[in-house]
Amino acid sequence: MADSLDRSTKINLLKEPVVKRICEVLDKSSSKGWRKLGEIVGNDRRFKVSPDDMEMCSLKVLELEGSPSRMLLRLMAERGCTTGHLVDYLQALGNSEALQCLKPSALQILLQPQSVALLCGHNLRLSCHAMGKSPVHYQWFKAKEEVPNSSSPDLVISPVQLKDAGFYICRVHSGDAFEFSHWAQVDVLNIGMSYGQSYHSLDGRLKLVIQPQTQRLHVGETLQLECGATGRPIPRYQWHRNGVPISNATKRKLMIPHAMQDHGGKYRCEISSSTERMWTNEVNVVIAPRISVQLSGAMECSEDDLYAIGGGSSDFFLNSIPEQLYATDKVALLIGNLSYQNHPQLKAPMVDVYDLTNLLRQLNFKVVSLLDLTESEMRNAVDEFLLLLHKGVYGLLYYAGHGYENYGNSFMVPVDAPNPYRSANCLCVQSILKLMQEKETGLNVFLLDMCRKRNIHDDSTPNIVLRVTANIVFGYATCQDAEAFELSSSGFTNGVFVKFLKKRLLDDEKITTVLDRVAEDMGQFDATKGKQALEIRSSLSERRALTDPILPGDSADLAHAHSRQWAKAHELPESMCLDFDCGAQIKLGFAAEFSNVLVIYTHIIKKPDDMSFCQAHVTDFSQDLDVDPKEMNRETPEETGIYLLSSSLPQHCLYTRLSSLQKLREELVFTVCLQGAFTAMDDDHPIHWKKSVDIGKPLIARLDLHRAMRRNSCLQTCMMPHSPSHSPCHSPGPEHHLHLHLHGSHQAQDYNRLSPQHRYLDISEHLQGAVGGCVDSYYDNLSQCPYEPTYDSGGLSSSPGRFSIPIEASEDITELQTVFINSLQLQSQ
């Protein structure tokens, strides 16, 4: 038997099912078990096992799933024990049953079918590959019924239909030997029932395609919520109500018959796989009581009766119930400009946009987050934002960067604006508001984190006539004719406005109430007291809140089309594995830090044993992206500028950050270069292998924001001729290096006119708390601290035993397995 094994294989490389069977045999045996094996190994000087080691193994019996044998094998593996050594020890032990576990089977399943969730109309493929001493034959079953014409290793159903959903298993036989594969569950989702935003998980293995919908029911009716994600392996589900998991609610569909009032609340579902987790939108469920009104001593009227009494009007009934306000959808455009070409650089906009993106997504906003946009890119981004708006939508625009205000009109400054700039080079916020009003939006929120100083170089007076509506809220980070500040730090931290805004944004309060509390919090901040104060302007007459639920209106088809437009800006490339001729395999993964910032990470998942050196890196990117080779293929995310997403990325990879994807004009094609050397090589020069990869246009690149003005609407965002100024550009002088940076015009002339107390914080009173370190540490101590963001592989296993059919965890499968085996027994009789 020893000749049939690779005796040089380390026992830590044994497949998990083999190790599990050996441990089960050794754990249950008293005379030929793990204790006796430990004595034998302890007498071998190469892998000496001490009494303390044996004591540590024995303590494993106190654990729920503890195994002394597994602990012993782990210690032996750490000391270099091979399969050959283990065979010799088991032979000396005389445990033939344990030796049998190491013996290669006459029939071995090398590839198990994997559960999958996919969309109706797509192609289903389940694969089961085995190796035997004689020809191998396959037989597929769906539950207890044999699948017709299914005698190949791959079961293909094209296209898959809803009726094809269920549990599948493959019987493999070779000569007299046969094995059953694992059960594989197939979940087929009907895309026609999809609602809400669709997006991929971080690693791209899951895709959320069906979102739950807001519900308004009466007591006694059936509450039904549904969500769905595609992926392989099949996703797991757990429904939550008001943030608490619901017991036994682990299916895609949640159904509560005869719902009561206390079943109302906020519902969302957690979707997970073995390595990833994502959440659906949170939706509001309202269970209203059935109210009856006694009109006389002998007659009671139901809601329907009241409708008739009112002459076709239900106002009498409805007036007794508080009105629930809804949004038909929620969309947000977040722009952070920090890398200015002709003006001082900023830091906070990147962190601010990242934090607000995560918070707004928790409020079920569709968010597009963009960094460092030129004038034409900003105008085109606004156009795409306007496409997402329709009747009843809540629209939110957040801008962080340089800005100014003239005659009541606010202007956002693009990164390519000349010095000095004028209104023709900038975007007028009020012009954007006018276009939003034409969409009959339900709520318009503008959060402007910029200076509002007068621009002395701009004498234009735009005449923008806004409609009289009661749905507009402006949150200015500072008062009129004042600056907005960001706090200098050795790392990255929020601007003053977002530092306090992010603590209140999720509050279930009217939006103006939320901003009022932010203003109060900012007023207590010593570092900017007397220099920056939040100003709120509102024409809101209803209790509109960012937490309001989403209920699609009459324009559901239009909303669905707009959702597809939004999804274009968030489509990540699928993760992929690249096989090289030398036998190495590289995994290529992708993540999004912002809508225009892509992260690529590479990891070597397979390397030939005779290869002494192996390294992979990405190169040859489009010149449109202007990628610095020195910041590519770094061993930590931070080295390549990935500060905010670093904790969510896989470890032990090489990372590359690609920003400004909006400038990409063609498909993103790059090269993966593999360098390797073999032990048999005489020289030290590595060999190179290359593969070209085309991932199309990822994220915001699909919308082609780099193009010139594409629609008339983008011209309307500035009510004057589109003729950029040709004034010469001035590089910022040394006096611009403020400890407390201004999000303002930063024109040299304006800056020099400021009094000293407007340019610097008083060092004795504020500098250490507001400048030297993290702001949150100011009140605790004055020491510096680094910036810390506050955000929240397996091989092939051997085949199962003949009488042990491994299955995936599901309450449905236990019964299915019993029925299936009984049906086989009936067939064989």
Side-chain angles (χ1 to χ4, degrees):
M1 180 186 67
D3 295 337
S4 61
L5 295 171
D6 183 358
R7 294 178 58 89
S8 64
T9 302
K10 296 291 196 301
I11 62 173
N12 62 320
L13 298 179
L14 287 174
K15 295 174 181 177
E16 172 58 25
V18 175
V19 175
K20 183 178 180 180
R21 290 199 296 269
I22 294 175
C23 292
E24 289 173 351
V25 172
L26 294 175
D27 283 341
K28 72 181 182 181
S29 177
S30 57
S31 60
K32 299 180 180 180
W34 67 273
R35 288 188 182 275
K36 185 63 176 177
L37 177 61
E39 293 177 9
I40 296 173
V41 179
N43 294 327
D44 191 330
R45 294 182 178 179
R46 295 172 298 177
F47 317 112
K48 186 173 179 61
V49 176
S50 68
D52 290 341
D53 292 333
M54 295 298 293
E55 179 67 20
M56 183 167 54
C57 294
S58 66
L59 292 176
K60 287 296 177 180
V61 299
L62 301 178
E63 299 179 9
L64 183 62
E65 300 292 337
S67 168
S69 301
R70 185 179 288 273
M71 188 65 203
L72 177 59
L73 292 179
R74 185 178 302 164
L75 292 172
M76 294 166 60
E78 291 174 353
R79 293 162 196 184
C81 183
T82 65
T83 303
H85 296 131
L86 180 58
V87 169
D88 294 339
Y89 295 143
L90 293 177
Q91 287 176 338
L93 179 64
N95 194 323
S96 58
E97 187 178 359
L99 279 169
Q100 190 68 24
C101 296
L102 290 169
K103 183 179 180 180
S105 172
L107 177 62
Q108 187 176 17
I109 296 181
L110 303 176
L111 179 64
Q112 296 282 357
Q114 204 172 21
S115 294
V116 62
L118 72 168
L119 295 175
C120 184
H122 286 211
N123 298 330
L124 168 66
R125 179 185 294 271
L126 297 176
S127 299
C128 178
H129 291 265
M131 180 177 64
K133 294 183 178 179
S134 57
V136 179
H137 302 277
Y138 300 87
Q139 186 179 17
W140 287 90
F141 293 85
K142 179 187 177 188
K144 63 179 182 178
E145 301 293 335
E146 183 178 0
V147 180
N149 305 317
S150 60
S151 58
S152 67
D154 296 319
L155 175 63
V156 178
I157 301 178
S158 177
V160 69
Q161 304 295 329
L162 292 177
K163 62 182 178 63
D164 297 316
F167 295 88
Y168 292 79
I169 196 171
C170 185
R171 181 181 185 272
V172 183
H173 61 96
S174 175
D176 295 332
F178 70 91
E179 298 281 0
F180 284 105
S181 72
H182 294 174
W183 284 103
Q185 183 181 358
V186 175
D187 189 13
V188 182
L189 284 67
N190 186 0
I191 192 61
M193 300 174 62
S194 66
Y195 167 77
Q197 61 199 56
S198 298
Y199 53 86
H200 284 87
S201 59
L202 178 63
D203 202 28
R205 296 188 179 185
L206 299 178
K207 183 179 182 181
L208 180 58
V209 294
I210 299 178
Q211 294 271 15
Q213 299 187 43
T214 295
Q215 302 279 331
R216 183 175 178 86
L217 309 170
H218 287 97
V219 169
E221 295 181 341
T222 299
L223 168 62
Q224 297 184 67
L225 294 172
E226 180 179 2
C227 67
T230 61
R232 187 189 298 267
I234 197 168
R236 298 187 296 269
Y237 300 90
Q238 175 60 61
W239 286 93
H240 293 245
R241 175 180 171 271
N242 295 333
V244 179
I246 305 173
S247 59
N248 301 320
T250 57
K251 297 181 180 293
R252 285 202 303 108
K253 298 181 180 180
L254 174 66
M255 180 177 295
I256 302 177
H258 310 294
M260 306 301 292
Q261 274 192 278
D262 56 3
H263 286 128
K266 296 183 181 296
Y267 286 78
R268 66 173 179 167
C269 188
E270 178 186 15
I271 306 175
S272 61
S273 67
S274 56
T275 59
E276 296 184 286
R277 184 180 74 164
M278 62 195 309
W279 291 87
T280 67
N281 292 341
E282 187 174 68
V283 297
N284 199 38
V285 173
V286 178
I287 312 293
R290 291 186 178 275
I291 300 177
S292 62
V293 180
Q294 187 167 338
L295 298 180
S296 69
M299 181 179 70
E300 290 187 357
C301 292
S302 67
E303 178 183 343
D304 295 334
D305 297 328
L306 287 171
Y307 182 82
I309 292 173
S313 172
S314 59
D315 291 343
F316 175 66
F317 171 73
L318 293 178
N319 287 338
S320 63
I321 302 177
E323 181 184 2
Q324 171 66 60
L325 297 175
Y326 297 93
T328 57
D329 204 352
K330 299 180 186 179
V331 296
L333 173 63
L334 278 58
I335 299 176
N337 285 342
L338 54 155
S339 302
Y340 282 87
Q341 299 172 13
N342 305 308
H343 305 281
Q345 308 288 294
L346 301 172
K347 280 187 177 181
M350 181 173 72
V351 188
D352 293 343
V353 169
Y354 187 87
D355 282 1
L356 292 183
T357 295
N358 292 332
L359 291 171
L360 288 170
R361 282 176 176 165
Q362 293 182 49
L363 296 172
N364 300 329
F365 273 83
K366 296 180 175 70
V367 182
V368 175
S369 58
L370 301 169
L371 298 182
D372 291 333
L373 300 186
T374 64
E375 180 193 347
S376 63
E377 292 166 356
M378 285 183 70
R379 295 186 187 278
N380 290 335
V382 169
D383 281 347
E384 298 296 340
F385 173 62
L386 294 170
L387 285 177
L388 298 177
L389 303 181
H390 53 89
K391 186 175 182 179
V393 171
Y394 286 10
L396 184 148
L397 174 66
Y398 170 81
Y399 170 75
H402 293 318
Y404 69 94
E405 183 172 307
N406 278 11
Y407 307 105
N409 293 295
S410 302
F411 292 89
M412 303 179 292
V413 180
V415 294
D416 63 340
N419 189 352
Y421 45 71
R422 297 175 175 83
S423 56
N425 315 120
C426 305
L427 271 72
C428 179
V429 175
Q430 282 68 25
S431 296
I432 299 173
L433 173 57
K434 177 178 175 63
L435 296 172
M436 293 175 69
Q437 287 183 312
E438 294 174 359
K439 303 283 187 173
E440 299 184 16
T441 43
L443 177 65
N444 300 308
V445 178
F446 293 85
L447 302 176
L448 303 177
D449 199 354
M450 65 184 199
C451 288
R452 299 174 66 194
K453 295 287 289 184
R454 170 88 169 88
N455 183 0
I456 62 174
H457 302 284
D458 182 14
D459 295 326
S460 61
T461 55
N463 183 22
I464 302 170
V465 180
L466 297 173
R467 297 168 56 187
V468 179
T469 57
N471 59 355
I472 304 169
V473 177
F474 276 89
Y476 293 97
T478 192
C479 296
Q480 191 172 9
D481 202 30
E483 293 90 5
F485 297 94
E486 67 174 26
L487 297 158
S488 180
S489 172
S490 58
F492 288 89
T493 188
N494 291 116
V496 176
F497 178 34
V498 175
K499 168 184 167 59
F500 296 100
L501 176 64
K502 69 180 185 180
K503 298 177 181 179
R504 300 286 188 179
L505 196 64
L506 298 182
D507 291 352
D508 187 14
E509 298 285 353
K510 187 177 178 180
I511 177 60
T512 49
T513 301
V514 171
L515 293 176
D516 280 335
R517 293 176 178 173
V518 174
E520 294 171 2
D521 295 341
M522 288 178 61
Q524 302 302 314
F525 186 45
D526 290 339
T528 54
K529 187 176 293 185
K531 300 177 180 65
Q532 178 176 349
L534 178 65
E535 181 177 329
I536 306 166
R537 294 185 181 180
S538 169
S539 64
L540 197 61
S541 61
E542 301 171 304
R543 191 191 176 279
R544 296 279 178 180
L546 299 184
T547 55
D548 288 344
I550 296 175
L551 186 65
D554 298 332
S555 305
D557 293 339
L558 179 62
H560 188 64
H562 292 171
S563 295
R564 290 198 301 270
Q565 182 74 6
W566 172 87
K568 286 182 180 180
H570 295 83
E571 291 185 6
L572 272 174
E574 298 280 354
S575 298
M576 62 185 71
C577 290
L578 304 179
D579 294 306
F580 289 82
D581 295 339
C582 63
Q585 189 177 65
I586 308 300
K587 181 180 180 180
L588 203 60
F590 307 92
E593 192 173 27
F594 298 92
S595 299
N596 64 337
V597 179
L598 177 71
V599 176
I600 302 178
Y601 51 91
T602 58
H603 179 59
I604 300 173
I605 59 177
K606 181 181 177 183
K607 179 175 74 74
D609 294 336
D610 58 344
M611 183 175 279
S612 58
F613 166 76
C614 186
Q615 189 177 62
H617 64 273
V618 294
T619 185
D620 299 334
F621 286 101
S622 169
Q623 294 183 354
D624 294 336
L625 299 179
D626 192 24
V627 184
D628 186 354
K630 296 179 181 179
E631 296 182 354
M632 295 166 48
N633 304 292
R634 310 302 294 181
E635 294 184 354
T636 65
E638 290 78 8
E639 290 180 273
T640 189
I642 308 167
Y643 298 98
L644 308 177
L645 197 64
S646 59
S647 61
S648 303
L649 294 173
Q651 297 181 343
H652 311 300
C653 300
L654 293 182
Y655 308 91
T656 298
R657 183 179 189 262
L658 303 180
S659 58
S660 301
L661 289 181
Q662 74 276 4
K663 301 184 185 301
L664 193 64
R665 298 178 179 274
E666 306 293 338
E667 283 72 15
L668 182 52
V669 180
F670 57 94
T671 301
V672 178
C673 182
L674 178 71
Q675 302 179 59
F678 294 90
T679 54
M681 294 173 58
D682 296 332
D683 53 27
D684 296 331
H685 299 290
I687 303 176
H688 295 261
W689 296 268
K690 293 184 177 182
K691 279 187 178 292
S692 179
V693 176
D694 184 347
I695 59 173
K697 289 188 174 182
L699 302 176
I700 201 70
R702 291 175 175 267
L703 300 185
D704 294 334
L705 299 186
H706 57 82
R707 294 183 184 174
M709 314 301 263
R710 293 170 292 164
R711 290 178 288 272
N712 292 333
S713 61
C714 55
L715 287 172
Q716 299 174 27
T717 61
C718 186
M719 311 299 278
M720 55 210 64
H722 184 75
S723 54
S725 169
H726 296 286
S727 302
C729 299
H730 304 287
S731 301
E735 66 270 24
H736 286 83
H737 296 287
L738 300 179
H739 290 132
L740 191 61
H741 297 300
L742 309 179
H743 285 204
S745 63
H746 288 282
Q747 312 283 354
Q749 300 91 326
D750 293 339
Y751 177 82
N752 291 328
R753 290 190 295 107
L754 294 177
S755 59
Q757 62 267 31
H758 285 155
R759 283 184 282 175
Y760 299 98
L761 291 176
D762 185 270
I763 296 179
S764 62
E765 294 181 5
H766 306 294
L767 181 60
Q768 293 169 322
V771 178
C774 295
V775 178
D776 292 335
S777 66
Y778 172 59
Y779 299 102
D780 300 329
N781 55 68
L782 299 180
S783 62
Q784 294 187 358
C785 60
Y787 170 71
E788 296 180 3
T790 55
Y791 318 108
D792 296 286
S793 98
L796 296 174
S797 61
S798 63
S799 63
R802 175 177 302 182
F803 302 107
S804 174
I805 304 176
I807 56 178
E808 295 187 12
S810 169
E811 60 268 33
D812 301 325
I813 299 185
T814 302
E815 180 181 356
L816 175 68
Q817 179 179 335
T818 303
V819 173
F820 174 72
I821 294 178
N822 290 339
S823 69
L824 291 182
Q825 291 173 348
L826 290 174
Q827 293 171 3
S828 63
Q829 290 176 350

